[in-house]
C-alpha cells in the first residue's frame, strides 16, 4: 500500500510537470505562429477569407541551413480545421515551389504582368485542403545556407533528410496539424523528392500507433521516375508526335545506352542535338502552345544534366512576373523572408544547386513497390502534351511495376467533355489530363482541381459524361 501511494504521488508530480512543459511548448508555438502570420501581401485582393503563414524552419544548426515555407490554409468558410494538410514540392533540382506551384499553378494568388499585384485563382487547391509550399533544398528561393560550400554537396538523400527535419520541426510550430491527415504532391524532379520523403516519413512512423505526421499517401505529376523508361518513353513520344524523323529516332535508340544515361556518350549527345534541331523552336514543356514572346531563364522547372534535351524550359512568361514580385523589399518583408540579407537576388531556380547536384538514383520504382506493398495511397498523373517527361515515359515505368489492373483504361469527364483517361491498378491510380503540358494545373486548372479532389477523397475519376 505504501509503495502504491509513493508511486501515485510521483506519477501526479510527473503529470503536473508534463502539463506545464506542454503548456510552455504550446505558448511558444503560438508565439512562433503569430510571428509567421502574414497580415497582408502587397497587391493582394481584399477579403480573401483564409489565413496564411510563412517563414523559416532551421534544419541544420551547425551549417545554418533553413528552409522557407508558405502555408495557405483553406478558407474559413470551408472549415480549415477539418481539412487535411498537403505538402507541395516543385523539382529542378533547385527550383522554387513558391515560383511555380504557388504563383502559377495551385496557389490562391497568381501574379499579374506588372509584377506588383495579385489576383485570386478560382481553382486554388486550398479550396480543398491546407497547402504547405516548401522551397527545398536550402539555396532554393528564400531558403538558405550560411556555408556556401554546403550548397555544393546537395543531392537526393540530403534533400529528403532536410525535408523530413523541416516537417518534424514545422509540426512543433503548428501543433494543431499534428495527427491531421497529411499528403504530399509534387511534379517534375519532385518525382524523386516526393517518393523519397514519403519513404522516410513512412519508415519512421512504423510502430507508432498515433503518429504526429499522419501520412496517408502521395501524388506525382509528370515526374522523373526511372531513367531507362524515361528515355525510352521520351524518344518514343518525340517520334510518335512527329517531332523527330524516323532516322533520328533510330539513331537515338542505337547511340544512347538506355541503361547508363547519366553520362551520355558523344554519339548520344550528337543524336540529341539532331533531335533538338528537328523539333525546332517549339515549347517542349507544352508542344501545343506557343512560347512567350520574350526569352526568360533557360533553367526553370527543368531537370538535371542527365536529360540533355531539357535546356529549354516552358515559359508562359509568368516566371518573369515572379522575379519582379519576390525581389521587392516590401514583399519580402510581408513574407518574413530574406531575414539574413541574402547577398543574391531571389530567383526561381538555383544554378548552383543544378550544377553541383550529386546523388540521383536511377529509379524510384523500388520505393514505389515498397510503399504500394505497405498500402499507402499513390496516384500518378500526366499532362499529355509534355515532351520533356511525357505520358509514354510514365506508362512504361508503371508497366514495369507489373501491378494487376483493377479498372481498365477509361475516359474521365467534366461538363460532358473528355478531360483525360485513367487506369486503376492494385495500389496505384494513373490519370492523364488531356491538353495539359508539364505543369498540369497551369494549363488545365479546373481539371487539375477535379483530379486533386478525387485523390483526396480516394475516388475514381468521374467516368460519366
Amino acid at each position: 500500500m505504501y509503495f502504491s501511494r509513493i508511486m501515485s504521488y510521483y506519477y501526479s508530480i510527473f503529470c503536473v510537470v508534463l502539463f506545464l512543459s506542454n503548456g510552455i511548448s504550446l505558448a511558444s508555438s503560438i508565439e512562433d505562429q503569430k510571428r509567421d502570420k502574414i497580415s497582408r501581401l502587397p497587391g493582394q485582393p481584399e477579403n480573401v477569407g483564409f489565413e496564411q503563414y510563412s517563414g523559416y524552419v532551421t534544419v541544420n544548426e551547425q551549417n545554418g541551413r533553413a528552409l522557407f515555407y508558405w502555408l495557405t490554409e483553406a478558407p474559413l468558410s470551408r472549415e480549415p480545421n477539418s481539412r487535411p494538410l498537403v505538402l507541395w514540392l516543385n523539382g529542378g533540382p533547385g527550383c522554387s515551389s513558391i515560383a511555380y506551384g504557388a504563383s502559377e499553378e495551385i496557389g490562391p494568388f497568381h501574379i499579374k504582368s506588372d509584377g506588383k499585384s495579385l489576383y485570386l485563382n478560382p481553382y486554388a487547391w486550398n479550396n480543398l485542403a491546407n497547402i504547405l509550399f516548401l522551397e527545398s533544398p536550402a539555396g532554393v528561393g528564400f531558403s538558405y545556407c550560411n556555408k556556401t560550400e554546403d550548397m555544393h554537396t546537395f543531392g537526393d538523400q540530403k534533400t529528403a533528410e532536410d525535408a523530413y527535419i523541416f516537417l518534424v520541426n514545422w509540426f512543433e510550430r503548428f501543433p494543431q496539424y499534428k495527427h491531421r491527415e497529411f499528403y504530399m504532391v509534387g511534379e517534375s524532379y519532385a518525382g524523386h523528392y516526393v517518393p523519397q520523403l514519403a519513404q522516410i516519413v513512412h519508415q519512421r512512423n512504423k510502430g507508432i500507433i498515433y503518429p504526429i505526421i499522419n501520412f496517408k499517401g502521395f501524388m506525382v505529376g509528370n515526374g522523373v521516375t526511372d531513367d531507362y523508361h524515361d528515355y525510352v518513353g521520351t524518344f518514343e513520344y518525340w517520334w510518335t508526335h512527329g517531332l523527330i524523323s524516323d532516322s533520328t529516332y533510330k539513331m537515338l535508340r542505337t547511340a544512347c545506352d538506355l541503361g547508363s544515361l547519366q553520362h551520355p556518350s558523344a554519339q548520344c549527345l550528337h543524336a540529341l542535338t539532331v533531335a533538338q534541331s528537328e523539333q525546332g523552336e517549339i515549347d517542349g514543356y507544352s508542344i501545343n502552345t506557343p512560347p512567350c514572346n520574350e526569352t526568360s531563364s533557360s533553367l526553370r522547372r527543368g531537370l538535371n544534366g542527365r536529360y540533355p534535351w531539357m535546356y529549354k524550359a516552358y515559359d508562359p512568361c509568368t516566371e518573369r512576373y515572379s522575379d519582379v514580385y519576390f525581389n521587392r523589399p516590401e514583399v519580402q518583408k510581408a513574407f518574413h523572408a530574406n531575414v539574413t540579407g541574402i547577398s543574391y537576388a531571389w530567383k526561381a531556380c538555383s544554378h548552383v544547386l543544378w550544377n553541383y547536384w550529386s546523388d540521383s538514383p536511377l529509379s524510384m520504382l523500388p520505393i514505389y513497390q515498397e510503399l504500394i506493398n505497405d498500402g499507402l495511397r499513390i496516384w500518378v498523373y500526366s499532362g499529355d502534351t509534355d515532351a520533356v517527361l511525357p505520358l509514354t515515359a510514365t506508362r512504361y515505368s508503371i508497366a514495369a511495376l507489373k501491378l494487376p489492373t483493377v479498372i481498365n483504361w477509361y475516359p474521365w469527364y467534366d461538363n460532358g467533355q473528355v478531360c483525360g483517361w485513367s487506369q486503376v491498378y492494385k495500389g496505384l491510380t494513373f490519370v492523364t489530363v488531356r491538353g495539359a503540358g508539364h505543369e498540369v494545373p497551369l494549363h488545365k486548372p479546373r481539371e487539375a482541381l477535379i483530379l486533386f479532389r478525387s485523390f483526396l477523397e480516394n475516388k475514381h475519376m468521374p467516368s460519366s459524361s
Side-chain angles (χ1 to χ4, degrees), residues 315-354:
D315 181 20
C317 297
T318 52
E319 182 191 327
R320 292 188 293 110
Y321 314 152
S322 294
D323 281 341
V324 174
Y325 187 77
F326 291 112
N327 275 300
R328 295 173 61 201
E330 63 270 31
V331 171
Q332 295 182 1
K333 183 178 180 180
F335 269 110
H336 321 115
N338 198 14
V339 293
T340 59
I342 298 171
S343 60
Y344 49 86
W346 181 95
K347 293 182 179 179
C349 295
S350 167
H351 288 265
V352 174
L353 287 168
W354 169 289

Side-chain angles (χ1 to χ4, degrees), residues 42-45 70 98-125 133 318 321-322 325-326 441-443 445:
Q44 175 183 307
W70 181 12
I98 304 298
Y100 297 109
S103 298
E104 64 181 45
E105 295 187 76
I106 69 166
F109 303 124
H110 288 180
I111 304 170
K112 292 183 179 179
S113 60
D114 61 6
K116 297 179 180 180
S117 50
L118 308 174
Y119 65 95
L120 283 172
N121 171 19
Y123 302 108
W125 284 15
F133 298 98
T318 52
Y321 314 152
S322 294
Y325 187 77
F326 291 112
L442 173 63
H443 293 281

Side-chain angles (χ1 to χ4, degrees), residues 18-260:
L18 183 63
F19 175 79
L20 290 174
S21 64
N22 284 342
I24 293 171
S25 176
L26 181 60
S28 175
S29 68
I30 291 173
E31 286 303 311
D32 288 341
Q33 287 184 40
K34 285 182 179 179
R35 183 193 64 212
D36 286 1
K37 187 172 182 179
I38 297 173
S39 57
R40 193 178 192 283
L41 295 175
Q44 175 183 307
E46 300 292 338
N47 303 319
V48 297
F50 60 86
E51 302 292 355
Q52 47 184 334
Y53 301 81
S54 63
Y56 288 95
V57 173
T58 300
V59 295
N60 186 292
E61 292 279 359
Q62 181 177 352
N63 292 343
R65 291 203 303 274
L67 300 185
F68 182 79
Y69 79 90
W70 181 12
L71 171 68
T72 59
E73 292 190 326
L76 297 175
S77 61
R78 296 176 181 266
E79 300 179 346
N81 291 336
S82 66
R83 301 276 175 175
L85 177 68
V86 177
L87 176 71
W88 172 275
L89 295 171
N90 278 91
C95 292
S96 165
S97 300
I98 304 298
Y100 297 109
S103 298
E104 64 181 45
E105 295 187 76
I106 69 166
F109 303 124
H110 288 180
I111 304 170
K112 292 183 179 179
S113 60
D114 61 6
K116 297 179 180 180
S117 50
L118 308 174
Y119 65 95
L120 283 172
N121 171 19
Y123 302 108
W125 284 15
N126 74 323
N127 284 308
L128 302 176
N130 304 288
I131 308 295
L132 178 60
F133 298 98
L134 177 62
E135 292 198 305
S136 173
V140 173
F142 291 125
S143 297
Y144 65 88
C145 315
N146 286 338
K147 291 186 176 181
T148 304
E149 61 271 21
D150 203 19
M151 291 177 61
H152 298 170
T153 61
F154 268 106
D156 283 18
Q157 183 176 355
K158 186 174 175 181
T159 299
E161 288 288 348
D162 276 5
Y164 178 74
I165 295 170
F166 165 84
L167 287 175
V168 171
N169 293 339
W170 188 89
F171 275 99
E172 289 304 312
R173 187 174 301 180
F174 289 85
Q176 67 267 34
Y177 281 100
K178 290 182 178 180
H179 315 296
R180 189 93 58 96
E181 283 195 358
F182 175 68
Y183 300 90
M184 303 177 198
V185 185
E187 67 185 14
S188 196
Y189 198 79
H192 274 214
Y193 293 163
V194 169
Q196 290 169 328
L197 178 57
Q199 182 185 46
I200 291 176
V201 173
H202 178 65
Q203 288 179 347
R204 294 179 188 178
N205 274 350
K206 286 184 176 180
I208 302 175
I209 297 174
Y210 196 36
I212 287 174
I213 306 176
N214 186 19
F215 181 52
K216 295 297 184 181
F218 68 84
M219 183 164 65
V220 170
N222 290 80
V224 181
T225 306
D226 175 274
D227 277 16
Y228 176 83
H229 295 106
D230 285 346
Y231 267 83
V232 171
T234 298
F235 297 161
E236 183 174 306
Y237 186 92
W238 292 351
W239 179 59
T240 57
H241 285 73
L243 304 182
I244 59 174
S245 64
D246 294 355
S247 59
T248 299
Y249 178 56
K250 291 177 183 177
M251 181 167 54
L252 286 166
R253 294 299 301 265
T254 302
C256 296
D257 178 2
L258 300 177
S260 59

